[in-house]
Amino acid sequence: MKRPGPASTRNAALLLTSAAIVDLFLLIMVVDTLLPKLGPLLLRHMPVVDKDFHGILLLATALPVSWLLYEFLLRGLSPGRFLFGLQLRNKSGLQIGWPRLLFRAFHKIAFAGLGGVNPLGESHYDRLSGAQWFTPLCPPIARPMKEWELQICSGSLQGKSVQLKQFKTNSIKIGRDKNWTNLRFSEADSKVSRRHCMLLAAKGSLWLRDGDGKGSFSSSGTFLETRRLKPGEIVAIGKAEYFTAGDVEIRILR
């Protein structure tokens, strides 16, 4: 499967519109299925509402509930968006925090979703929350290796992004030892060893090594995605999208 890339405003709008049509169709099917069971209940408690409008009433109630479910609890995932591989992230490609998700969901519900009715442009709640849609239908364009970025997703440097060429060396040393590292974490990152691991650029490829290459190894492990390296082991990054030093995840943006 292709790695998801950021969709342009126009492409994201078209895909989101298509996904919304799928979601609405599925919601109508759910309401139509529940109507025979809930209709008598509505007739008993809301006799002033004509039974011909029960379906519309249920749909109007189900819509904001589904938006809260999709936009907040499921982090922007819905059946239609899943179908098109749409993923909600921030401009840096990281997960959006819960406060921004809640802010985004609140704005969508408050404006009855009308702020997103634009098949060619960005919704106002995506713009205000700094959202960016990613999808495998818009794979990122590969860059020269020196322009690849390391994006730190957790730990004391969370949110930091740096290109490989900024290190001006073929070896990136990751750890807490200020006299050894050129990508240094703070003492608060206790699961990152002082000389935890290294990234090495050689033979046109990027390699990951546990430890410092001189007999010092990580204590809490170096992982290439889900595979744990043996102490001192060196492996090619290949197509892996991230590695982990202790409990700190570092993504590789090509």
Side-chain angles (χ1 to χ4, degrees):
M1 184 177 180
K2 293 181 180 179
R3 188 160 61 93
S8 67
T9 299
R10 181 184 175 89
N11 287 338
L14 289 172
L15 289 171
L16 286 168
T17 299
S18 301
I21 293 172
V22 173
D23 291 336
L24 181 60
F25 177 74
L26 291 175
L27 194 61
I28 290 173
M29 288 181 63
V30 170
V31 168
D32 191 53
T33 301
L34 295 177
L35 190 57
K37 296 181 180 179
L38 297 180
L41 188 64
L42 288 172
L43 193 60
R44 187 180 313 122
H45 293 281
M46 303 179 70
V48 294
V49 179
D50 192 287
K51 65 178 182 179
D52 292 335
F53 291 96
H54 286 173
I56 297 174
L57 180 63
L58 281 176
L59 185 61
T61 304
L63 269 174
V65 173
S66 68
W67 289 340
L68 183 62
L69 173 65
Y70 298 152
E71 308 299 353
F72 182 63
L73 297 177
L74 295 181
R75 289 184 167 275
L77 183 65
S78 71
R81 292 168 186 171
F82 177 80
L83 180 66
F84 294 106
L86 287 163
Q87 301 173 20
L88 181 62
R89 303 180 185 176
N90 63 22
K91 300 297 184 183
S92 299
L94 301 175
Q95 275 193 340
I96 292 181
W98 289 110
R100 283 181 179 266
L101 284 173
L102 183 60
F103 172 84
R104 184 178 176 279
F106 172 78
H107 270 262
K108 181 166 184 175
I109 294 171
F111 289 91
L114 296 178
V117 182
N118 186 353
L120 299 177
E122 186 178 32
S123 69
H124 83 277
Y125 39 82
D126 277 349
R127 183 173 62 255
L128 291 174
S129 61
Q132 172 70 57
W133 290 95
F134 284 69
T135 173
L137 298 176
C138 302
I141 300 173
R143 297 175 287 179
M145 190 168 70
K146 65 180 181 179
E147 296 183 7
W148 292 3
E149 294 178 53
L150 298 181
Q151 191 173 76
I152 301 168
C153 303
S154 55
S156 60
L157 299 180
Q158 182 176 3
K160 180 181 177 68
S161 182
V162 58
Q163 286 188 321
L164 298 186
K165 65 182 180 182
Q166 292 180 242
F167 292 99
K168 299 180 180 179
T169 177
N170 289 332
S171 61
I172 301 170
K173 302 171 182 178
I174 300 168
R176 294 185 289 115
D177 186 343
K178 65 179 181 180
N179 297 318
W180 179 78
T181 60
N182 48 13
L183 183 54
R184 183 188 172 202
F185 286 85
S186 75
E187 295 300 319
D189 299 302
S190 57
K191 291 191 177 181
V192 177
S193 301
R194 300 191 65 76
R195 299 187 177 190
H196 198 103
C197 61
M198 301 173 66
L199 279 178
L200 306 169
K203 301 178 181 179
S205 300
L206 197 61
W207 303 75
L208 178 64
R209 166 184 276 161
D210 179 77
D212 64 357
K214 296 181 179 179
S216 178
F217 312 123
S218 68
S219 59
S220 54
T222 301
F223 297 80
L224 183 59
E225 294 195 338
T226 57
R227 179 199 164 191
R228 180 169 184 166
L229 275 63
K230 298 176 182 177
E233 183 182 6
I234 179 171
V235 296
I237 292 288
K239 295 183 179 181
E241 295 186 7
Y242 67 93
F243 64 94
T244 307
D247 60 351
V248 173
E249 180 182 309
I250 303 176
R251 300 196 74 83
I252 303 163
L253 304 182
R254 293 170 173 81

